[in-house]
Structures are given as C-alpha cells and as structure tokens.
Amino acid sequence: MRTTVLSYLDEFLARGTEAAFAHRRGLRVARWSYEITAQTAFQFARELEERGIGKGDRILLWAENSPEWVASFFGCLLRGAIAVPLDLQSELAFVARVQHQVSAKLLLCGVATEALADLSLPVLNLDEISSLVAHHSSAPYPAPDVGPDATVEIVFTSGTTAEPKGVSLTHRNLLANLTPIEKEIKPYLKWERLFHPVRFLNLLPLSHVFGQFMGIFVPQLLGEEVFLQESLNPSQIIETVRRERISVIVTVPRILDALREKIERVCETHGKPEQFRKEIQASAGKHFILRWWKFRKVHRMFGWKFWAFVSGGATLDPKTEGFWRRLGFVVIQGYGMTETAALISVNHPFRIGRGSIGQVMPGQEVKLAANGEILVRGENISPGYWRDHTSARAIDDGWFHTGDIGEMDQEGNLYFRGREKEVIVTSAGVNIYPEDIESVLDRQPEIKASAVIETQSAHGPEPLAVLILRDDDASPDAVIERANHSLAHHQRIRRWFVWSGEDFPRTATQKIRKQVVAERVRDSLDGAIPFAAASDASPLAEIVTRIGKSAPTKVDPSAKLETDLKLDSLGRVELLSALEDRYQVEIDEAAFTSTTTLADVEKIVREGKP
C-alpha cells in the first residue's frame, strides 16, 4: 500500500535499464532509463541538502517537459521540499508574483537569462542538471520523514494576472486518484506483455497535474516509456508517432481538432474529400475491426502500433470525438481540475459511454446540486490554497463546488453541460479569468466600461471583450492593441464588440448581468464576430480563411496573425501545418509569432526547406 508517491522510485530502481523517458532536443532524441531517472533524483536531493534546502522549502520549476524535470521533481520530494511547477508560457511578471507568495529558495529553469536576476534567488539550468549533480552519490537517498498529508506541490492555475492562487496538493490527494487506476490496471498486465512497450506521447505540460498523471505516474504503473516533445505541429506529431512507434497520445482537445483537420487536408490532396466524409458517416455503429480496416490508410499514417488518444484539460467536442472513433481509434476523456488532483471522472478505455466524461473515480462521492452543479467529496480534494485561509472544501460537509454543470445517467456516466463560474476554459486547457482582462481594459482612457464574456469560436471557447467607449471617435483597434501589451500571451484579446448603450445592464448591487450582455451581443452579431479591416487579396487568403474559420477572404499583407487574423498560438500551428501540406515545405515553428504578418508568412513559405 503506497503512502507517498516516493514509492515510485523503488519501482524505478527495480525496472533498471528499461526506457522510461525519451525527449527530442533538436535532431537528437535523449533516452533515460528508470534507473538513471531515480539515480539523478537521489543526486539532486543531495545537491539540495548541500544547499541547505529541506522540508517545507519551496522550489520553482519553470522549464519545458524533460527527463530532468521528472528527476528534479522527485529530488524535491526526497528532501521534503515543495515543488512549485510553472507553465513554460508564464510571463516573468507572473513568476515574480508567485515568488512573492512562496519565497522559493531555488529556481530551476530551461534557460537562465539576466531578467531572472530580478527574482533575487539562485537559478539552476535544468538542462545541465545531470552534470551539475554528477559529483554526488547516486545511491538511494534515505527516505525522508514525510507522511501522506505532507504537501507535494503548489500548483498555480494558469490564466490570472491578478494575485495568483496556488492550490496545495498532498501525497494523499495524488494517491487518492492513482491507487484506483493502479487497481484497474492490474488485471490487464498479462495482456500488456503482448504489446510491450506501450509508448505514450505526452503533449501536456508537466506543470499541470493531469500532465503529471499521464507523464510521470500512470504510464510508469505499466513500466512504459513516455516520449516528450515541444512541437505541436500535426505533421511532426504524426511523424513522431510513426517513427517512435507510439501507442497513446496524451493531449488537449484542440490538438485532436488540429490532427483531424490534418487528416481531412490529406484527403483533399488525394481528391476524395466528399467520399471520405461519406465513409466517416457510414462507419457509425460499425464493428471496431471493420472501421479499422476501412480506414487502414489513416492508421498507416500514424503507424500500426498507435491506437488511442487521452484527452484532458478541457471539454472535447463530441464531433471530434466521433470522428476519431469512427476511424477506429479509442478516445479516453478525463475530467477534473487542480483542486481535485486532476481527476473526478475518467472513461474506461474498453467501456466508454458515448459523449460522457466518464464514471466517477472510486473513493470519490459526486452529487448534483439543485442547479445541476457538480459537487465532489473525497481524499483527492486539496486541503486548501497556499497561504489562504479559504479551504478548497466547502463548509457543507466537505463538498467541493466545481462550478461546472453536469448530468448523470443511470449507469453512473457523468456528462458535462457547461460552466456556472465565469472562468473561460479554452480548448487548449488554459483558464482565462474575465476580471483580469477587464481590469486591464478599464485602465485604458478611452474605455468607460468593459465586460469580458465567453464566445464560441471555431476552435472552442475564448474571450470576447464588450466595450463601452467614452468617445464615439475612439478607435477600439488601438485600445485593444495597447491593452494586449499588458496581458499574458494566452489572455490577449482577438475578438471584441462595441456596446451601443450608456451602460451595461446591472444587478441591484451593480454587478454586470453578463448573461444578458452575452445574449444581446449574440443577437446583434448573429454569430459573426467582426474582424479587422481587410484590403487586397492574398495568395494565402484561402488557407487563412479555412484555418481562422471566420477570417475575411481578403486580407491585408500587413495583417498580423494574432490581432488581425485572430489566430492564437495553436491556430498559428494549424496554419503552419496547412502551409506545409499545401506548398510541401518545412517551416520552423519559431518563425510564426503573434506579430508575424501575412507578408512575413509569404516570405517564410518562399524560403521554406523542401
């Protein structure tokens, strides 16, 4: 019986030289065995001991996914220190606010820069951690005196520019969800030998708890290998899956959408898009073997060993889920949040309720409030927020209020029906808090009032800024561009609407009635969100229109991909992939930024490597 997640290290040592992690760096793939991962964790624990860092001290982990990340994470736990994982995309100002709260004694990052000096704490380059700790003994580190209620990590949920809120998670919280999974896996271990190794491609950041579950904990229960890569380009994902003989992709719904569009473009290239769509529709309800054989060309693209997607971090569109199922692939959804140690429910890979977000994890209790809100109780619930007297558990008998609206059928399948809270969860699994964007907009002199509401774009939920201008002559384009400079990358405004009234409808306590605002905006736009002005036609207009879904058919060569063409980071990856398919060139992802213009794109395509 596990009492802490450190028990994983004993199993790491027992598995010896079996491959645990693979990480692509440039053209080279570095592979770490289970044994090397554990030994590096022991060495890093001794490095922390030498630095006087121990029980209860905090360590910031701000780097890309890598085997070094995993070894350092376990090294922190061996010393009883608390890991504070941060999303690689976090702005330096956000990291500074987190540091102000946690007073970390060390920062582990990918690339040390002069800007980090403002944080006033020692910095270690995580990529060089193996050489930095090589002088320490790699013998097992003495087990620390920590119990199941010791804090493992503080996870600051992404998306806030206000005072960050850190969720404390204990060994007990994590094991409450890992133990039932381990029990469920055991009966299938005898069959696993026939397919060993089952390789996982993890595209979720390890700074997120679900990313940790599917990158550090669950595959290791089977003794499998996890491949880590940064590129989200659909072409490169498919290439990795085929080359590395990947069995399972772990990602967010948005990537499943991008991969679906990639498959559809391939069919268009072969001149059979309509036939492909008809075959997809006709395959509904057919036996798995028949679907697999019918779409064997698609399976050949991914390689014969690939069979499943695991989706988490946001709600998966039923149409996308249905697309992959009809092709003969398994799609597994997990539902939860940071406060519930990543999971509340999960789909069983071989017993899946269509459209469901799975059945409730053993050991948890779930009930629906009168308004349909999902309430959860169990040992997986966080004890509270860092240095905040507010507990994650509600005062009514320990029930945690998720803020999500759901339904449950007689078989116990849970269904997601929407959100009660205002937080916007994008299809990339990023939380965006409207009040953060509103506070920046309201500081602009041209803005009398603002309200940020959720709108459904072609790529899922995203924020729409509704503005009341002080002067009718004010340019909302200029206001939005200036405001975006003060917002984190994922919060930047790409869609907006100018409100015609003197004020928003408000409650008796002067809160904006956002539901009413949203309904009026939808009625006014009739589903169309206006874009920046467009002028001359571009040779790339057709592709941009298809990727942006609602972008104009004529675009200005000076139009920027983000602010004018409304393409977020994943939208730019989708555009890059479409251009590679259309022009048969290889394009560097780093060349596509938020400020890249359409003219820049044309130049990049011309200079692309065949």
Side-chain angles (χ1 to χ4, degrees):
M1 182 74 177
R2 300 180 192 271
T3 56
T4 73
V5 295
L6 286 171
S7 58
Y8 273 79
L9 291 176
D10 296 330
E11 293 164 25
F12 279 28
L13 288 176
R15 292 199 172 100
T17 58
E18 290 183 44
F21 300 97
H23 183 217
R24 173 169 287 279
R25 285 197 177 97
L27 298 176
R28 186 175 65 90
V29 175
R31 279 189 161 79
W32 283 43
S33 68
Y34 279 95
E35 186 177 52
I36 291 297
T37 305
Q39 289 174 346
T40 306
F42 300 146
Q43 290 175 313
F44 184 65
R46 290 184 168 90
E47 175 69 21
L48 294 180
E49 182 179 7
E50 189 175 89
R51 291 171 175 265
I53 298 174
K55 192 172 182 179
D57 292 331
R58 277 75 63 195
I59 298 174
L60 300 180
L61 261 168
W62 186 26
E64 66 183 25
N65 291 359
S66 67
E68 290 89 345
W69 199 105
V70 178
S72 300
F73 178 79
F74 277 113
C76 293
L77 305 192
L78 283 167
R79 282 293 294 160
I82 300 172
V84 184
L86 298 170
D87 194 308
L88 184 62
Q89 305 303 321
S90 298
E91 304 285 337
L92 182 60
F94 176 83
V95 178
R97 285 194 294 275
V98 169
Q99 168 59 6
H100 179 71
Q101 279 199 38
V102 303
S103 302
K105 291 192 173 182
L106 183 66
L107 167 63
L108 300 174
C109 67
V111 180
T113 65
E114 292 182 4
L116 297 178
D118 295 338
L119 297 176
S120 301
L121 79 165
V123 177
L124 290 182
N125 187 336
L126 198 58
D127 294 344
E128 300 173 357
I129 205 71
S130 295
S131 57
L132 289 171
V133 302
H135 62 286
H136 293 295
S137 168
S138 60
Y141 191 81
D145 181 22
V146 297
D149 292 317
T151 302
V152 171
E153 58 186 329
I154 306 166
V155 183
F156 285 85
T157 54
S158 59
T160 177
T161 57
E163 189 63 18
K165 210 169 192 178
V167 180
S168 297
L169 292 174
T170 66
H171 291 272
R172 187 186 301 277
N173 296 151
L174 298 176
L175 291 175
N177 281 330
L178 286 169
T179 301
I181 294 174
E182 186 171 12
K183 288 179 180 178
E184 188 66 39
I185 283 174
K186 282 184 178 179
Y188 297 95
L189 289 177
K190 59 184 177 182
W191 303 108
E192 186 274 338
R193 297 172 194 157
L194 301 174
F195 305 97
H196 188 82
V198 178
R199 295 187 178 93
F200 290 72
L201 172 60
N202 183 34
L203 300 174
L204 293 173
L206 295 176
S207 56
H208 294 196
V209 188
F210 192 61
Q212 293 172 18
F213 265 59
M214 298 309 303
I216 301 178
F217 299 120
V218 174
Q220 286 69 23
L221 293 173
L222 292 159
E224 310 300 359
E225 179 181 336
V226 175
F227 194 95
L228 305 168
Q229 81 171 31
E230 280 63 59
S231 175
L232 299 178
N233 182 338
S235 298
Q236 292 194 22
I237 291 173
I238 293 173
E239 179 190 349
T240 297
V241 170
R242 184 176 59 250
R243 185 188 64 246
E244 301 294 332
R245 304 185 73 223
I246 300 293
S247 301
V248 181
I249 294 177
V250 183
T251 189
V252 293
R254 183 72 176 276
I255 298 301
L256 268 70
D257 288 335
L259 288 168
R260 172 180 54 80
E261 291 170 2
K262 166 74 176 177
I263 299 299
E264 290 172 343
R265 285 198 301 272
V266 170
C267 292
E268 289 178 12
T269 303
H270 293 162
K272 299 179 180 179
E274 287 305 318
Q275 180 183 341
F276 179 69
R277 292 189 187 98
K278 289 178 181 178
E279 289 173 347
I280 286 282
Q281 293 299 322
S283 69
K286 296 288 181 67
H287 192 277
F288 163 76
I289 298 297
L290 293 177
R291 284 180 279 133
W292 188 93
W293 178 254
K294 183 69 176 177
F295 299 104
R296 59 191 179 278
K297 290 183 179 179
V298 177
H299 287 265
R300 186 183 297 123
M301 288 177 60
F302 285 90
W304 302 117
K305 212 175 177 192
F306 177 71
W307 62 280
F309 294 96
V310 176
S311 174
T315 307
L316 179 62
D317 188 327
K319 292 180 180 178
T320 301
E321 180 184 6
F323 173 87
W324 291 109
R325 289 195 191 284
R326 290 176 181 182
L327 288 179
F329 295 102
V330 173
V331 181
I332 305 165
Q333 281 197 76
Y335 163 69
M337 51 198 64
T338 306
E339 288 89 342
T340 65
L343 289 174
I344 292 172
S345 66
V346 68
N347 275 322
H348 191 289
F350 308 119
R351 299 192 297 269
I352 296 175
R354 299 295 171 85
S356 156
I357 51 177
Q359 295 201 341
V360 177
M361 296 285 292
Q364 296 187 37
E365 297 177 75
V366 167
K367 70 177 182 179
L368 302 179
N371 64 349
E373 183 184 6
I374 300 171
L375 308 182
V376 189
R377 183 167 64 180
E379 291 191 340
N380 62 313
I381 306 298
S382 163
Y385 301 100
W386 178 251
R387 289 193 175 168
D388 188 337
H389 297 298
T390 306
S391 172
R393 299 185 177 91
I395 58 173
D396 53 339
D397 298 325
W399 290 99
F400 173 70
H401 291 244
T402 65
D404 293 331
I405 305 300
E407 292 180 9
M408 190 175 290
D409 64 19
Q410 292 182 344
E411 286 74 38
N413 294 307
L414 193 60
Y415 296 84
F416 179 84
R417 296 294 183 243
R419 293 196 60 81
E420 183 187 52
K421 294 179 180 178
E422 287 186 358
V423 60
I424 299 169
V425 184
T426 71
S427 59
V430 176
N431 295 341
I432 298 177
Y433 298 86
E435 60 267 27
D436 293 341
I437 302 177
E438 290 163 356
S439 67
V440 173
L441 288 171
D442 292 343
R443 290 200 297 268
Q444 309 306 315
E446 299 92 339
I447 300 295
K448 181 180 179 183
S450 69
V452 173
I453 60 175
E454 179 178 310
T455 186
Q456 287 292 329
S457 73
H459 298 300
E462 63 175 275
L464 167 68
V466 185
L467 312 173
I468 297 179
L469 302 175
R470 295 185 184 278
D471 187 339
D472 292 340
D473 296 330
S475 167
D477 298 58
V479 173
I480 294 296
E481 184 174 359
R482 191 187 319 126
N484 278 340
H485 286 302
S486 301
L487 292 168
H489 181 78
H490 60 274
Q491 297 172 311
R492 288 174 186 164
I493 305 159
R494 286 177 285 274
R495 288 170 169 78
W496 60 89
F497 176 84
V498 177
W499 188 263
S500 58
E502 288 294 320
D503 195 7
F504 294 117
R506 296 178 183 270
T507 65
T509 57
Q510 293 303 297
K511 290 184 178 180
I512 298 174
R513 298 172 63 190
K514 290 193 175 179
Q515 185 64 37
V516 176
V517 171
E519 289 172 1
R520 290 189 188 175
V521 169
R522 280 195 289 268
D523 291 342
S524 299
L525 297 175
D526 194 22
I529 306 296
F531 279 78
S535 56
D536 298 333
S538 162
L540 303 177
E542 178 189 349
I543 296 176
V544 172
T545 300
R546 187 169 73 243
I547 299 300
K549 298 296 193 297
S550 50
T553 54
K554 291 185 177 181
V555 286
D556 188 330
S558 64
K560 296 178 180 178
L561 294 183
E562 182 173 73
T563 53
D564 298 322
L565 301 181
K566 316 305 176 189
L567 296 178
D568 60 8
S569 58
L570 285 178
R572 296 195 293 274
V573 169
E574 292 171 31
L575 174 60
L576 179 150
S577 177
L579 292 172
E580 288 184 331
D581 291 340
R582 173 73 173 270
Y583 295 104
Q584 292 299 294
V585 294
E586 185 177 323
I587 301 173
D588 182 6
E589 279 185 65
F592 272 44
T593 69
S594 59
T595 58
T596 300
T597 66
L598 201 64
D600 296 332
V601 172
E602 293 186 64
K603 182 179 179 183
I604 290 168
V605 170
R606 285 196 301 270
E607 297 175 352
K609 178 182 176 183

